[in-house]
Amino acid sequence: MKLFKLFILTFFVSANVAFGQVNSTNRQIVLQGFWWNYYNSNYTDGWANYLTELAPRLKSLGIDAVWIPPTIKNTGTNSVGYAPFDHYDLGDKWQKNSTKTRLGDKDEVLRMVAVMKANGIDVIQDIVLNHVTGAGGATSAGGQDPAAMEDGTSNDYKNFRYACYETPAQNETALNYLARKGRFPKNWQNFYPNPSNVCCTNPINSPYWGPDISYESSGFGQSSNATFNPTQTSDYMRTNMRNWLIWYKKQVGWDGVRIDAVKHFPTNAMEDFLWNLQNNAVWASGTDNMFAVGEWVGGTSELDNWVNAVQNRAGTFDFAIRGAIQNMVNGNGAYDLSNIPGSQQSNRGRTVPFVNNHDTFRPILSTDGNYTGWNSGSQLGTQIEPNDGRNSAAHAIALSLDGAPQVFFEDVFNIGYLGNRYDHSPTVDSTLPVRSDIQNLIWCHQNLHFKDGAYLVRWQAADALVIERSAKALIGVTDSWTNWQNLDGVQTSWSDGTVLVDYSGANGTATRTVYGGGKVNISIPPCDGTASQGRRGYCVWAPQGITENYVRPAKAITQEWEMADDLGDRHINSLQQGGKLPTNSLDCRTVGRIFAKSGSTIKLELYPEIATNSVCLVLLNKDCNPVDSLVGVGNLVFNKLATYDGWYTIRIRNATATQAGQKCWVKATYNAPEVVQTNVTKNKCSCSITPANVGIEEINEQVTVYPNPSNDKIYIESAKVIGDWSIYDLNGKVVETGNASNSSFNIDISSLKEGSYIFVSEMEGYVARKKIVKITN
């Protein structure tokens, strides 16, 4: 058997198997920036804020890109992102009894992406394209269509209607829900089964996680019971999903995509979407080099077939090599490491090798978040436990391969053994410690420039595998628990006399000198942790004297808001952003919010639908006071220097009260700070302080405010229970908020400055407004 292994070894050494690179994205190390059911008690419904504060540490680790969860509105904040409801709600609309998603509100998501870019980190957006779910209002009212063809799981809940600026969610009745006019409504014919397409015969047309989207051109029609019921045409779902993806990339500014469950919808639709993101998103086009990876769970031929079918516009997670790595770990030293190179998928230009992700790693947790077992019924394969002695060897393999290796949050950070999962600070090493071996391997990958060298298999044996990144690094791996692997005469690309050191530290300060036409003798430590620095099962040899620290340059971000009545929301509990400019009115519209770095330039651009109408573009500071503005016709551009780190709000309005309303597009290009404390105050700076803006029936006569004016307290009496209430200043800044459980109560306004304010409350779908005046005795 040993002689056979030596024969195989000689064959591969002489063959020097090499694979080239296709594009720059396959050099990246991608961190999955979440785990299944991610949560931290300090950032409830605010994972974007968590990642914002974590960003500087990721930069220091050498992370190139962060894969983030789906950011659109789901069925509730209890969903981790894979139960999509409204594609155009990024945490800005009041729907499903919440404005926020699990990541936070839209402003916080946009800030997180900007801060990642400021730290030189790309953002990879997780996207679900095969299903939607949760039809109906907060109580599911209106979601059913009695005419729907049943798929066996959704019980005809296939009416999807969405809140928007024109039609906010006044209440949760079926009547209100079915009249909502938000963009991209969906009817039962958009899903399987429909009159032209059968259900449940293959992975594409089966509803595994909700109504399953039919991308066929014939999958269109109208609801049998919705009030808002626009006519659909051929290719409805494919066209609208394509349009959404382009809008999404422009709005958020992410750099690449991870596509969920790609075997469950057609490859021609996937290739269509990818081409448009890469080439048809105008200024936001990612080009053919845009990072894209599909989740196809299968063997090597299936992975390669899918990559070929989407014209190599995306790679796949390499589940085939992951299966071999898993077998190595589970083999407890009996696995034959020579099988590893042949286990990879063949089409490796965009491949993503990995050890764990949220689908393969579903622990059963104690109350403090420590591992107590494994939810094998919901995992894909078997987990590779972070504390397993062969986990480091597994990562050494994954990081040495072609492609963009993905590292999992729970492999990089220790949150499974210290009781710190739910309450740690992402900025403090002691509360969120990094695993030393993984940190070292990332450092080696980046600072030794693995991907600048071609992939060469230099040694294959039962207990030893050596991979060279040509003339950059020599990565040795063993699964032996106690035995060092001392290999003599390993062929390399270095010239004789080159002095190598082990950058893992496992061999201490020992050096090795290349001899005999590029050969070197190396030692690979066992997996028991007895080597220097506790290294387990790997070594990384490279020329001595490399001390550089890998840092990607900071980047500005561009984000674009489309101002239209079927986007955004004006509900009092929403962010009150969006809406087109109104006809014959000077009422403003809040575009959105950015978080800029002091001393950097904020560039604002406005593109109106009607070039001859004069528009005013305004930038507000954190206190909702204007800091600069520009009035003009056609496209407008102005630059403003940020004077502090923090929030700035963008508004638009007509320049005259006698012109037609119109849609507008507003772009902001800016630099965010690298380090952000996310608990800073954020004011809405809402435009919705006059009845003309709100468009919901007023009931001023049912609310009494006295004394008015007042110098300390005002008393509120109404015909109905008030519920949530706010007080705005005349700039739209929220200065007081509260909630009343009855119809009479008082508010202390003694801390307000002298002047006029607007009291706003919403009661059972109605909005009440009263002007109040604060005086000083």
Side-chain angles (χ1 to χ4, degrees):
M1 185 66 175
K2 290 295 184 182
L3 290 175
F4 176 74
K5 289 300 176 190
L6 288 173
F7 172 78
I8 297 296
L9 167 63
T10 304
F11 172 80
F12 274 95
V13 168
S14 61
N16 284 339
V17 182
F19 299 91
Q21 276 71 45
V22 172
N23 62 69
S24 59
T25 62
N26 72 1
R27 300 169 182 267
Q28 293 182 324
I29 291 182
V30 180
L31 171 76
Q32 182 174 0
F34 61 103
W35 61 90
W36 185 251
N37 208 25
Y38 55 93
Y39 173 79
N40 185 296
S41 60
N42 300 311
Y43 303 87
T44 303
D45 297 337
W47 197 250
N49 291 337
Y50 177 96
L51 291 176
T52 295
E53 297 194 10
L54 181 64
R57 290 188 67 193
L58 301 183
K59 175 183 177 180
S60 69
L61 283 170
I63 298 298
D64 293 304
V66 174
W67 159 20
I68 65 171
T71 54
I72 68 173
K73 183 65 59 65
N74 272 224
T75 53
T77 54
N78 60 314
S79 171
V80 298
Y82 299 96
F85 171 67
D86 183 354
H87 292 89
Y88 285 94
D89 184 351
L90 302 182
D92 56 315
K93 304 184 190 182
W94 176 255
Q95 297 185 105
K96 299 291 186 181
N97 283 333
S98 176
T99 295
K100 291 187 174 186
T101 68
R102 197 175 179 105
L103 274 82
D105 66 33
K106 179 178 178 178
D107 296 335
E108 293 163 343
V109 170
L110 299 189
R111 175 175 63 183
M112 179 268 293
V113 178
V115 170
M116 287 293 176
K117 302 278 273 191
N119 283 278
I121 299 170
D122 288 348
V123 173
I124 310 303
Q125 179 64 69
D126 203 328
I127 292 176
V128 180
L129 295 175
N130 62 304
H131 70 276
V132 292
T133 190
T139 61
S140 300
Q144 274 186 310
D145 187 333
M149 296 173 67
E150 181 54 48
D151 59 20
T153 64
S154 64
N155 199 24
D156 299 337
Y157 278 88
K158 296 183 178 180
N159 278 326
F160 288 87
R161 297 295 184 271
Y162 306 118
C164 62
Y165 199 88
E166 181 179 355
T167 56
Q170 295 178 339
N171 55 57
E172 295 303 323
T173 63
L175 181 64
N176 181 269
Y177 174 81
L178 290 170
R180 297 175 189 174
K181 298 181 180 181
R183 188 171 296 185
F184 201 5
K186 302 168 189 70
N187 302 325
W188 68 267
Q189 297 94 335
N190 305 142
F191 307 98
Y192 297 108
N194 56 54
S196 301
N197 302 289
V198 299
C199 171
C200 316
T201 62
N202 58 56
I204 288 179
N205 64 19
S206 298
Y208 291 99
W209 302 282
D212 198 62
I213 293 173
S214 171
Y215 282 111
E216 289 81 5
S217 59
S218 57
F220 66 94
Q222 289 184 285
S223 169
S224 72
N225 60 338
T227 307
F228 177 62
N229 201 12
T231 301
Q232 296 183 355
T233 57
S234 178
D235 276 320
Y236 180 81
M237 290 302 291
R238 188 155 159 173
T239 299
N240 279 276
M241 198 68 83
R242 181 192 308 123
N243 293 342
W244 166 67
L245 286 165
I246 293 172
W247 171 89
Y248 196 12
K249 192 173 192 308
K250 290 179 177 179
Q251 173 66 93
V252 180
W254 37 256
D255 304 276
V257 290
R258 179 265 183 188
I259 309 295
D260 188 62
V262 294
K263 70 168 61 175
H264 295 282
F265 58 95
T267 53
N268 60 0
M270 185 73 263
E271 195 274 335
D272 174 358
F273 301 149
L274 289 169
W275 184 91
N276 279 276
L277 285 172
Q278 291 166 343
N279 300 287
N280 195 37
V282 198
W283 62 266
S285 294
T287 78
D288 288 342
N289 282 343
M290 185 190 82
F291 182 96
V293 60
E295 183 213 20
W296 181 293
V297 183
T300 53
S301 61
E302 292 176 301
L303 300 177
D304 291 335
N305 289 341
W306 185 84
V307 173
N308 294 334
V310 299
Q311 307 301 311
N312 287 286
R313 297 194 175 280
T316 56
F317 292 100
D318 195 339
F319 274 90
I321 191 66
R322 199 272 174 180
I325 291 172
Q326 174 185 319
N327 290 337
M328 177 201 75
V329 174
N330 294 344
N332 294 318
Y335 182 78
D336 187 342
L337 284 172
S338 67
N339 293 326
I340 290 289
S343 300
Q344 296 176 259
Q345 64 181 113
S346 298
N347 193 331
R348 303 212 294 273
R350 294 177 184 260
T351 186
V352 178
F354 71 105
V355 174
N356 283 312
N357 64 31
H358 70 294
D359 284 323
T360 68
F361 197 90
R362 300 279 180 90
I364 298 170
L365 303 172
S366 64
T367 56
D368 60 1
N370 286 348
Y371 309 139
T372 62
W374 303 97
N375 192 348
S376 57
S378 65
Q379 288 184 168
L380 297 176
T382 305
Q383 75 289 338
I384 298 175
E385 188 173 349
N387 265 15
D388 190 296
R390 294 178 175 85
N391 183 284
S392 300
H395 278 86
I397 294 171
L399 269 67
S400 70
L401 303 177
D402 280 335
Q406 172 249 305
V407 292
F408 182 48
F409 193 101
E410 299 207 35
D411 283 318
V412 177
F413 298 104
N414 187 350
I415 59 168
Y417 304 95
L418 305 176
N420 60 333
R421 177 183 297 271
Y422 299 130
D423 59 2
H424 63 264
S425 168
T427 64
V428 179
D429 291 7
S430 60
T431 65
L432 183 62
V434 178
R435 289 192 169 83
S436 175
D437 281 9
I438 309 304
Q439 182 178 19
N440 170 255
L441 280 164
I442 293 171
W443 188 96
C444 290
H445 180 282
Q446 304 292 48
N447 292 284
L448 303 180
H449 303 284
F450 282 13
K451 294 304 172 65
D452 288 343
Y455 170 83
L456 305 169
V457 179
R458 292 301 197 179
W459 195 283
Q460 284 177 280
D463 292 327
L465 174 68
V466 180
I467 294 170
E468 182 187 353
R469 302 306 309 202
S470 182
K472 295 299 178 182
L474 201 64
I475 303 101
V477 177
T478 184
D479 62 347
S480 176
W481 188 251
T482 57
N483 295 326
W484 283 78
Q485 304 300 305
N486 299 306
L487 310 181
D488 294 340
V490 178
Q491 185 65 48
T492 77
S493 302
W494 288 293
S495 59
D496 289 358
T498 303
V499 179
L500 308 182
V501 297
D502 180 7
Y503 284 89
S504 78
N507 284 275
T509 59
T511 62
R512 300 286 190 270
T513 302
V514 178
Y515 67 92
K519 295 181 174 59
V520 70
N521 304 332
I522 67 170
S523 298
I524 309 172
C527 295
D528 61 1
T530 57
S532 178
Q533 299 192 38
R535 298 292 183 239
R536 295 176 179 269
Y538 78 95
C539 57
V540 183
W541 297 88
Q544 64 181 353
I546 300 173
T547 58
E548 62 184 291
N549 278 316
Y550 175 85
V551 177
R552 282 162 49 106
K555 301 177 184 178
I557 190 163
T558 300
Q559 294 164 330
E560 180 181 280
W561 290 258
E562 180 182 349
M563 302 298 291
D565 280 349
D566 63 349
L567 297 175
D569 194 358
R570 55 191 165 86
H571 191 285
I572 188 174
N573 292 333
S574 74
L575 293 187
Q576 296 182 292
Q577 298 174 4
K580 72 177 187 179
L581 289 175
T583 297
N584 298 331
S585 173
L586 293 176
D587 285 340
C588 69
R589 294 291 182 262
T590 299
V591 175
R593 206 156 283 109
I594 63 174
F595 201 93
K597 179 180 182 179
S598 177
S600 67
T601 298
I602 300 170
K603 180 181 180 181
L604 297 183
E605 303 171 65
L606 181 140
Y607 300 91
E609 188 176 41
I610 304 173
T612 55
N613 283 359
S614 185
V615 178
C616 181
L617 175 63
V618 185
L619 182 68
L620 310 176
N621 66 14
K622 61 182 183 298
D623 296 317
C624 303
N625 298 314
V627 294
D628 205 350
S629 63
L630 181 65
V631 178
V633 297
N635 300 340
L636 304 179
V637 180
F638 79 80
N639 297 317
K640 184 66 179 177
L641 196 68
T643 57
Y644 60 88
D645 287 359
W647 293 111
Y648 293 82
T649 298
I650 307 165
R651 281 184 182 169
I652 55 173
R653 64 173 176 82
N654 291 323
T656 72
T658 57
Q659 63 188 54
Q662 63 173 319
K663 291 171 60 175
C664 293
W665 289 260
V666 179
K667 284 169 59 179
T669 301
Y670 61 100
N671 291 88
E674 292 182 26
V675 180
V676 172
Q677 296 294 320
T678 59
N679 59 356
V680 295
T681 300
K682 181 183 68 170
N683 293 305
K684 277 188 179 182
C685 302
S686 169
C687 289
S688 298
I689 61 172
T690 66
N693 276 337
V694 177
I696 305 176
E697 182 180 348
E698 284 199 300
I699 52 168
N700 286 350
E701 70 278 3
Q702 296 192 37
V703 175
T704 302
V705 179
Y706 65 92
N708 191 11
S710 173
N711 69 332
D712 54 4
K713 289 184 179 181
I714 57 173
Y715 293 86
I716 308 293
E717 289 188 355
S718 69
K720 300 179 180 180
V721 173
I722 290 285
D724 292 328
W725 57 266
S726 300
I727 296 177
Y728 293 82
D729 67 16
L730 296 186
N731 286 322
K733 176 183 176 182
V734 178
V735 295
E736 296 283 349
T737 61
N739 180 275
S741 57
N742 52 48
S743 59
S744 300
F745 59 98
N746 63 71
I747 303 173
D748 185 352
I749 63 169
S750 59
S751 63
L752 299 183
K753 296 179 181 179
E754 187 172 69
S756 296
Y757 298 86
I758 306 293
F759 170 83
V760 182
S761 65
E762 182 154 341
M763 300 173 291
E764 300 177 15
Y766 296 92
V767 172
R769 282 168 182 76
K770 282 290 188 180
K771 181 180 179 181
I772 59 176
V773 178
K774 166 65 188 304
I775 58 174
T776 302
N777 285 342

